[in-house]
Amino acid sequence: MKKFLVFLFLILVVIFLFSFKNLLEIYSLWGKDFAVLIVYNPNFLKEHSYIMNAYRSVLEEEGVIYKEVSIFNLITFDPKIVADFKKIIIFPDGLNQYLPKEAGPWVRNYLSYGGNIFVSYDAGIKDFKNEYLEKALFSEFVGANYITYKKYKVSCFTLGYLYIDKTRKEFLEIPDGKLEKENLLGGYAYGNLECPIVRVEEEKDIKENEIYALTISQDGKNILEL
């Protein structure tokens, strides 16, 4: 009986801590501060915690105020209220491969009220069964379908480099020494930075002045617009 009571107590503690964390997140959305929101799916947080740590590190280094919020908490809020003070929402890669379908209309409304989103790599590319979608959740906002697995299979994913035109270098605040030969993003003494890239398909005409970088596959044959 005593072991059962201890076990029950531990369960109640876990439930309390989980609920308390959610309450803190929800309360933070009411705050009238201009914080950047980092959205995550709790189901991916443990496996991809290093990605969240990377975003935290960069934002803290740049002195940017931010708050972390579960997608399931975020979509319970009126997007207009959120857009009034939280002008930027980041959907990191890895942490948001599956997002509830309700996130699409919510983001559409948030954008209509003046909000801005940053969608990284694979956010919203899978369904709740962990299968790839025909069309990524945020394709209409990005202007391109960024999950083409159904068409290209594993060849839609590859590794490559980031090409930055010199005219965009200043706007993107890229330090001297970060651009290697042929304007590929580098890491000072580490050479060209290799990054995962994906084959995309445009859904609307993207103007040249809306393109800030290109991704180039390792073989140099495949150029994808970002």
Side-chain angles (χ1 to χ4, degrees):
M1 182 67 178
K2 185 177 180 181
K3 289 183 178 179
F4 173 76
L5 290 175
V6 170
F7 178 70
L8 181 61
F9 174 74
L10 291 175
I11 291 177
L12 291 174
V13 169
V14 170
I15 293 174
F16 171 77
L17 291 175
F18 179 77
S19 300
F20 183 67
K21 182 176 184 295
N22 281 326
L23 287 174
L24 286 177
E25 282 191 357
I26 292 172
Y27 176 76
S28 71
L29 291 175
W30 284 106
K32 294 184 178 181
D33 56 86
F34 294 94
V36 169
L37 296 182
I38 306 179
V39 175
Y40 65 92
N41 182 330
N43 298 315
F44 293 94
L45 190 56
K46 183 177 180 180
E47 181 181 356
H48 298 284
S49 60
Y50 64 95
I51 294 178
M52 179 65 84
N53 290 336
Y55 277 86
R56 289 170 182 156
S57 176
V58 171
L59 292 174
E60 288 170 4
E61 183 178 340
E62 296 296 326
V64 176
I65 300 172
Y66 68 91
K67 297 182 184 298
E68 300 165 20
V69 59
S70 161
I71 183 61
F72 301 105
N73 286 334
L74 180 66
I75 59 177
T76 64
F77 258 71
D78 184 340
K80 183 179 186 307
I81 294 176
V82 177
D84 282 344
F85 293 96
K86 309 299 187 292
K87 298 296 184 182
I88 300 175
I89 296 178
I90 298 174
F91 292 90
D93 48 296
L95 297 167
N96 295 287
Q97 291 182 11
Y98 163 67
L99 294 170
K101 62 182 181 180
E102 293 83 3
W106 192 96
V107 166
R108 186 184 302 112
N109 289 328
Y110 170 77
L111 293 172
S112 72
Y113 292 123
N116 301 275
I117 62 172
F118 175 85
V119 179
S120 180
Y121 188 54
D122 59 3
I125 66 169
K126 292 184 176 181
D127 61 20
F128 67 95
K129 296 180 181 179
N130 201 38
E131 296 179 353
Y132 291 108
L133 298 170
E134 290 279 356
K135 182 178 176 181
L137 187 64
F138 298 142
S139 292
E140 64 173 293
F141 315 126
V142 175
N145 182 20
Y146 53 94
I147 180 57
T148 54
Y149 181 84
K150 299 284 187 181
K151 183 174 181 180
Y152 300 108
K153 301 302 179 184
V154 294
S155 64
C156 75
F157 301 107
T158 186
L159 295 173
Y161 311 104
L162 200 60
Y163 172 86
I164 309 290
D165 187 273
K166 289 183 178 180
T167 60
R168 299 295 190 186
K169 177 177 176 289
E170 185 175 347
F171 175 82
L172 295 172
E173 298 184 359
I174 297 176
D176 292 333
K178 278 284 189 175
L179 283 186
E180 299 290 326
K181 294 179 180 180
E182 300 178 347
N183 295 333
L184 300 180
L185 189 66
Y188 296 115
Y190 301 103
N192 298 332
L193 292 179
E194 191 177 79
C195 59
I197 60 177
V198 63
R199 184 187 297 273
V200 303
E201 292 185 338
E202 289 186 33
E203 295 206 329
K204 67 174 185 179
D205 291 333
I206 302 176
K207 298 177 182 178
E208 188 175 344
N209 61 3
E210 296 176 324
I211 300 172
Y212 291 86
L214 300 173
T215 53
I216 303 178
S217 65
Q218 290 176 323
D219 59 16
K221 297 178 181 179
N222 206 8
I223 300 179
L224 306 173
E225 296 176 350
L226 287 180

